[in-house]
Amino acid sequence: MVGRQAELGQLDRLLGLLERPAGPGGNAGGRPAVLDVSGEAGIGKSRLVHELCLRAAGHGAKVLRGRATEYERHIPFQPFTDALADLDSEVVASCPAVVEAAPLLSGTPFLADRFSLHRAAAALLTHAGSSPLVVVLDDMHWADAASLELLDHLVRHPVRASVLLVVARRDRQTPAPLAATLTRGTETGVVRRVALGPLGERECLEGFTPDLDRAQAVRLFAASEGNPLYLLTLLQALREGASVSHLSTTGLGALLLHELTPLTESQRRLVEVVAALGDHARPGLLGPVTGREEAGLAADLAVLTRRDLLRTGPQGRLTLRHPVLRSLVHEGTDPWLRAETHRRAASELARVGAPLAERAHHAERSLSGWDSDAAAVLTEAAEQAAHTAPASCAHWLEVVLGQLPHTPEHAVRRRELMLMRARALGACGQLRASRDLLHQVIAMPDPENGTASRASAVVLCAVMERHLGQYSEAVALLRRELHRDPEPSPADYVELGLELGSSAPHDTSYPTVRSDVARTLAVARSLGNEAGVAGVLTVAALGEAYEGETAVASDFAQQAAALVDSLPDDDLRGLCEPLARLGWAEAFLERFADAERHADRGLAIARRTGQLHLLPHLLLCKAHVRVQTCRLASAVELSDEAEDIARGIGSDELLAFVLATKAHALVAACPLGDPRPLAVAEEAVAAAGLGANWWASIAWCMLGYAALINGDPVRAREALLHAGGPDLRRLQPSMRPLFLEILVTSAVAEGDLDAAGGWAERARVEAERLDLPAQRASALRSQAHIPHSLGDTKAAAELFAEAARESARSGAAFWEAYSLLLGAPVLAAGPDDGARRGHAAWHRGHQLAAAGGSRMLVALADMIQPTVADAADGPERRLAELTAREREIADLVTEGLTSPAIADRLCLSRRTVETHISRIYRKTGVSSRAALAALMAGRAPGPSFTG
């Protein structure tokens, strides 16, 4: 190594930390999970990384090396596959996730969604990282989209083992997704960055040119501008007789190509073949591709190796000395010869049974016109990559479509390939490109063999519009297709009607499509289409459940469940989305066990059949159930998985819903004061944008919930009013009492009992209409706040206790624990055996909270425990601890005076008054003005999340 002492010191420190186990976030003890090495071409990134590998091996770490290459950007997971090829076979075989990781290890197809593959990759690295492991991914500025997505997963979910990922890249050629991933990782501490700049003059002169005349050396350094590759190439040319004056004005490209001048024709052709083959340039492939005998080939390889034009890498692979040299040779090769090289390579790889992705790369590069054999390879590779690498799938289909003749005999095939490519584009987040392509499909003349593909295109286009938040456009598209002339076939009508029933409620309300859904159900029944009937029933069940029409929704849900449960999994392949709708309907109806059962079945089928876009809805349904039933750790994990998929799909609408659900889970799972729930809720609102639909409303509601628990009742109220719109009609009807409870609690915290009473009464009316236990429990809690604030502890205690019983009746353990803990201090202050009842309520609430992993409720239990324990002593003991000034200020608080008013009355500063109030809270164990007033009146204080 020449220079780079500061960087080498940083690497040594990282290696010293490598044996420390990573904790949550992946950077415990200051150890990052990823090292980002960046700089321009030739600046020494690979050399520095090589030195890191040597030192890591010296520390006893296992080192794996892989790299992306310039002309193979559509081969899925190439740098990871390259690196993992050197992983010990026993380690691979003993990993439980080895089957799911097959596409990474060998390019073997495995029918799974790419996010399952990401988790399998993380599991494999965790397994391999039981002892220190360094995984180098070089030239990642050329990485394929699937590799970048996997790297993003590993940055957001760092491997909790002794694993260091090293990413080397060129700054100016780094694609935006990779730059965003590494920037985000740097901000969270997961990524450590080493940016390489030019070497200094002294370093270069002492390290590279110690025997050269100083004046000459300085001129060469100035020409190289401190770039090691450029300087070494200048020195090579100088040793071969070039003049310093000539070299001082010669560019790097010209110098590198000049090295090819002494080569024979066969040697130069061999260099061109290696440049074309890239990392596939193994000795066994060179003979069939060049058509040369082994002896002559070996002699030329020896010469080229001796001249350091070719180098031998892992597994005998041949590469040119530097990627810059490869690029120059590749671009300078005659296009016909280059295509012929790829054609021969594709043929030989097919003969030896190489992975389809490798063959597809060469098939693509060999095309100069329509070639049905090459198109077949590309199409098969695209089908194989559809689930794990949709960007590669879309690219290969684009290549085929670009060559497919525009003739009538190919019209049906063209439509099929366009539809397949639109699905792939949608899966990898290119929603607008997918929609635009689908518009082309829809505009094409109907095929002679029916209109099924047209209807499928319309439905898929509506799905893309939904993901883009264009609900009105989706509904208009579907309605136009349903009323077109000629009318769609009955089978197509069912497909279109199902999507209309799914799309419209996001745009307006379910009643606007109720008649359309009824007609679709009748058509499906007339066809004897059980899957269609089940699908329409779930649309109706979810639509009515959302609107709070619980009796009608319950009937539809029961019919749908009976039909779905009677069908085998093979018949449910097309019913994953209905299973998601059924699960959500049952969740809104508080049939939590049924909801989770159907979500689990949908997840199993969706994973097996690669229906990626449905996974978030199924995962979130299950997460919602687990929040209600107080199983918080798994709820957060399910939300995390849904978030990964939503980000991959690229839909802001879907991401808003996912993050809102995740915020809900985090509020319950995190301790009080943790900033994560509020941050996630804020991101959910940002993703929702200016939308006023269901998911945007949910995002704002969760922001209000998180703000309330974070101690900001004003922001909570504003968020709920924004979510609900005029008269709060945009609040989800079937969950309105729960959302109104946020408004009630906020109003009580602000001391506005009139507003609180109005919201509480509305919550009661809404809950009675719904007749759902958990929603009734929410309304009861809202009502309990009013008498408690007015000093009627008996009425408050009865309402909290009834809320706990109602929550238990539905199995909503989280809300049962919450109700018990809110009511425990009030019960404890009651007459007779109040202390015992209060303690029993506290104990049961604490037990449920601890068992379910709700650190929020555990913190609440800890906060009120002294109040419950000391309730038998009455308020006198706690008030006796106050100083005379504190008692005076407490009396004024009880009279309803604000802090400024108290300061004026007592001739004190406002800050002094606030300090006294904080001490009063600490001594009395209360946390709000209302609770202090209750205590001063001889009543037990209730808990509050706001100060």
Side-chain angles (χ1 to χ4, degrees):
M1 282 292 291
V2 173
R4 310 298 187 196
Q5 294 307 308
E7 291 86 352
L8 289 171
Q10 187 173 352
L11 299 186
D12 284 336
R13 288 191 292 273
L14 282 177
L15 292 174
L17 294 170
L18 185 58
E19 294 186 7
R20 295 188 186 180
N27 57 339
R31 176 174 71 78
V34 178
L35 174 64
D36 172 24
V37 181
S38 63
E40 65 180 39
I43 205 66
K45 300 182 298 298
S46 297
R47 180 66 186 86
L48 183 69
V49 167
H50 179 68
E51 186 66 23
L52 169 64
C53 293
L54 293 176
R55 297 184 181 206
H59 279 71
K62 173 68 176 177
V63 177
L64 306 176
R65 301 191 66 170
R67 70 185 185 98
T69 47
E70 183 175 8
Y71 300 103
E72 291 80 15
R73 298 189 195 190
H74 299 290
I75 298 179
F77 306 110
Q78 181 186 349
F80 284 95
T81 302
D82 193 12
L84 294 173
D86 293 328
L87 192 57
D88 188 273
S89 59
E90 292 184 3
V91 172
V92 172
S94 61
C95 177
V98 63
V99 176
E100 291 83 355
L104 284 180
L105 295 168
S106 60
T108 304
F110 181 78
L111 188 59
D113 66 89
R114 64 193 194 272
F115 301 101
S116 294
L117 178 59
H118 297 168
R119 293 191 299 277
L124 177 61
L125 290 174
T126 302
H127 182 71
S130 57
S131 57
L133 175 67
V134 174
V135 181
V136 173
L137 305 172
D138 205 354
D139 289 332
M140 285 296 281
H141 50 279
W142 286 323
D144 60 282
S147 292
L148 295 182
E149 199 172 52
L150 173 54
L151 179 62
D152 181 72
H153 176 88
L154 295 173
V155 169
R156 285 188 292 109
H157 305 286
V159 174
R160 296 183 183 179
S162 297
V163 178
L164 177 66
L165 284 176
V166 181
V167 175
R169 62 186 175 91
R170 296 181 191 170
D171 264 326
R172 284 180 288 184
Q173 291 177 254
T174 298
L178 176 57
T181 292
L182 295 171
T183 299
R184 183 172 59 250
T186 302
E187 292 170 353
T188 60
V190 172
V191 175
R192 186 76 52 83
R193 187 175 185 194
V194 173
L196 297 184
L199 290 172
E201 179 179 308
R202 180 177 177 181
E203 291 173 316
C204 287
L205 267 56
E206 293 180 357
F208 295 123
T209 63
D211 301 326
L212 199 63
D213 176 75
R214 179 172 176 80
Q216 289 183 321
V218 169
R219 290 183 67 182
L220 293 183
F221 167 77
S224 73
E225 298 180 338
N227 184 297
L229 173 64
Y230 198 172
L231 180 55
L232 289 170
T233 307
L234 286 167
L235 289 171
Q236 174 70 17
L238 181 66
R239 294 188 183 102
E240 293 181 357
S243 68
V244 172
S245 59
H246 171 71
L247 292 176
S248 298
T249 58
T250 304
L252 176 61
L255 287 169
L256 289 171
L257 288 176
H258 180 72
E259 290 189 52
L260 306 181
T261 304
L263 302 183
T264 66
E265 184 178 346
S266 65
Q267 290 167 353
R268 180 166 185 128
R269 176 63 187 140
L270 188 54
V271 169
E272 292 175 344
V273 168
V274 172
L277 295 178
D279 274 4
H280 306 138
R282 296 174 177 86
L285 189 61
L286 292 178
V289 171
T290 61
R292 296 180 59 192
E293 295 295 331
E294 185 176 340
L297 197 61
D300 281 346
L301 285 174
V303 172
L304 296 172
T305 303
R306 189 165 55 251
R307 295 184 66 88
D308 197 27
L309 286 168
L310 296 185
R311 292 178 177 176
T312 303
Q315 301 174 347
R317 288 177 299 187
L318 294 163
T319 60
L320 273 79
R321 183 174 74 242
H322 195 279
V324 173
L325 180 58
R326 183 200 176 190
S327 178
L328 291 167
V329 173
H330 188 274
E331 297 302 323
T333 304
D334 179 270
W336 182 88
L337 284 175
R338 194 166 58 225
E340 178 64 14
T341 298
H342 286 293
R343 187 191 65 75
R344 292 187 178 188
S347 176
E348 178 61 17
L349 289 172
R351 188 187 69 80
V352 299
L356 265 173
E358 289 186 26
R359 294 165 54 196
H361 163 70
H362 291 289
E364 174 190 349
R365 294 278 174 173
S366 70
L367 286 174
S368 57
W370 173 243
D371 182 334
S372 59
D373 291 335
V377 171
L378 288 163
T379 303
E380 189 179 356
E383 291 170 345
Q384 187 182 99
H387 300 307
T388 54
S392 295
C393 171
H395 170 76
W396 285 325
L397 290 174
E398 181 182 29
V399 172
V400 175
L401 285 165
Q403 298 293 335
L404 186 67
H406 287 269
T407 54
E409 63 266 29
H410 292 105
V412 173
R413 185 57 174 161
R414 176 174 294 279
R415 180 190 286 265
E416 291 171 349
L417 293 175
M418 291 173 72
L419 200 56
M420 189 190 308
R421 182 165 186 266
R423 289 194 182 94
L425 289 169
C428 63
Q430 298 185 51
L431 302 176
R432 286 180 173 79
S434 175
R435 178 196 59 190
D436 293 346
L437 184 58
L438 288 164
H439 283 169
Q440 295 179 38
V441 176
I442 294 168
M444 294 170 72
D446 289 346
E448 296 178 358
N449 61 343
T451 61
S453 59
R454 177 185 172 88
S456 298
V458 169
V459 168
L460 185 58
C461 189
V463 171
M464 293 302 119
E465 297 283 19
R466 269 203 285 148
H467 281 315
L468 289 166
Q470 308 292 339
Y471 297 109
S472 297
E473 287 83 349
V475 170
L477 178 67
L478 292 163
R479 288 198 181 280
R480 186 189 72 172
E481 191 65 18
L482 284 166
H483 296 96
R484 68 189 292 265
D485 186 22
E487 288 188 355
S489 68
D492 288 347
Y493 190 96
V494 172
E495 186 179 2
L496 294 162
L498 272 169
E499 180 57 30
L500 178 63
S502 300
S503 297
H506 293 278
D507 180 44
T508 52
S509 64
Y510 179 73
T512 62
V513 295
R514 191 175 275 140
S515 60
D516 297 277
V517 173
R519 183 182 173 190
T520 304
L521 179 59
V523 173
R525 282 176 168 157
S526 71
L527 293 172
N529 180 355
E530 289 185 315
V533 170
V536 182
L537 287 171
T538 62
V539 167
L542 179 56
E544 302 292 2
Y546 174 86
E547 294 294 334
E549 301 295 338
T550 51
V552 180
S554 180
D555 181 52
F556 280 127
Q558 287 177 341
Q559 292 183 56
L563 183 52
V564 165
D565 291 345
S566 71
L567 294 173
D569 281 0
D570 286 346
D571 291 349
L572 290 178
R573 179 186 177 92
L575 284 180
C576 289
E577 188 165 13
L579 280 165
R581 287 192 293 260
L582 177 58
W584 273 110
E586 290 169 330
F588 292 154
L589 293 170
E590 299 178 12
R591 298 175 183 173
F592 299 126
D594 289 337
E596 187 164 4
R597 176 169 58 86
H598 288 126
D600 277 335
R601 194 175 185 194
L603 282 168
I605 298 169
R607 291 191 198 282
R608 189 169 64 249
T609 56
Q611 299 184 65
L612 173 70
H613 64 289
L614 298 177
L615 289 176
H617 303 283
L618 292 158
L619 291 165
L620 293 181
C621 175
K622 192 171 177 179
H624 174 81
V625 167
R626 295 202 166 187
V627 171
Q628 305 301 309
T629 55
C630 204
R631 291 173 284 169
L632 280 311
S634 60
V636 173
E637 289 176 2
L638 291 162
S639 300
D640 281 339
E641 185 179 349
E643 181 187 353
D644 288 344
I645 300 170
R647 292 189 186 279
I649 290 174
S651 167
D652 288 341
E653 293 288 306
L654 179 58
L655 183 61
F657 185 43
V658 169
L659 292 175
T661 304
K662 182 177 179 178
H664 189 193
L666 285 173
V667 166
C670 293
L672 296 175
D674 192 309
R676 287 179 295 168
L678 188 60
V680 172
E682 288 171 339
E683 188 180 357
V685 166
L690 301 177
N693 53 60
W694 173 22
W695 291 351
S697 175
I698 290 292
W700 279 97
C701 286
M702 289 305 106
L703 176 62
Y705 183 36
L708 179 66
I709 301 305
N710 203 49
D712 191 345
V714 174
R715 190 179 188 188
R717 172 175 50 79
E718 291 173 350
L720 263 292
L721 294 177
H722 184 282
D727 299 324
L728 301 181
R729 303 311 302 175
R730 287 204 302 264
L731 294 181
Q732 182 175 335
S734 58
M735 296 183 70
R736 214 170 266 160
L738 192 59
F739 297 141
L740 287 166
E741 185 181 358
I742 300 173
L743 284 171
V744 172
T745 310
S746 299
V748 169
E750 293 180 84
D752 189 350
L753 295 185
D754 289 340
W759 299 130
E761 175 58 20
R762 180 165 180 181
R764 184 193 66 77
V765 172
E766 296 275 2
E768 288 304 314
R769 183 179 75 86
L770 292 172
D771 194 25
L772 295 171
Q775 295 300 319
R776 188 180 295 111
S778 176
L780 288 166
R781 288 192 300 272
S782 293
Q783 292 173 267
H785 286 299
I786 310 305
H788 180 258
S789 297
L790 296 174
D792 189 351
T793 54
K794 181 179 179 181
E798 290 175 354
L799 289 166
F800 280 130
E802 188 179 354
R805 289 191 293 272
E806 284 293 309
S807 299
R809 190 160 67 88
S810 71
F814 177 85
W815 298 115
E816 179 188 357
Y818 184 56
S819 303
L820 288 167
L821 292 173
L822 288 180
V826 192
L827 280 169
D832 302 325
D833 64 343
R836 181 192 61 79
R837 293 175 61 209
H839 183 267
W842 178 90
H843 180 75
R844 169 68 176 164
H846 182 270
Q847 184 182 46
L848 288 171
S854 177
R855 287 183 283 178
M856 180 198 89
L857 292 184
V858 168
L860 173 61
D862 291 343
M863 190 164 59
I864 66 172
Q865 185 180 22
T867 302
V868 175
D870 297 344
D873 296 339
E876 291 78 9
R877 183 182 61 77
R878 280 172 283 154
L879 294 175
E881 297 180 11
L882 301 181
T883 65
R885 175 64 83 182
E886 289 167 352
R887 183 61 181 258
E888 184 179 21
I889 291 174
D891 287 334
L892 295 175
V893 168
T894 303
E895 292 178 19
L897 270 68
T898 63
S899 294
I902 295 172
D904 290 342
R905 174 82 64 88
L906 300 179
C907 298
L908 300 172
S909 70
R910 178 174 177 177
R911 182 172 181 179
T912 299
V913 171
E914 293 290 354
T915 300
H916 279 303
I917 291 175
S918 296
R919 290 172 180 166
I920 293 167
Y921 285 170
R922 188 171 62 253
K923 290 180 179 180
T924 59
V926 302
S927 57
S928 71
R929 289 171 177 265
L932 177 60
L935 179 65
M936 293 292 290
R939 300 183 294 270
S944 169
F945 289 123
T946 55

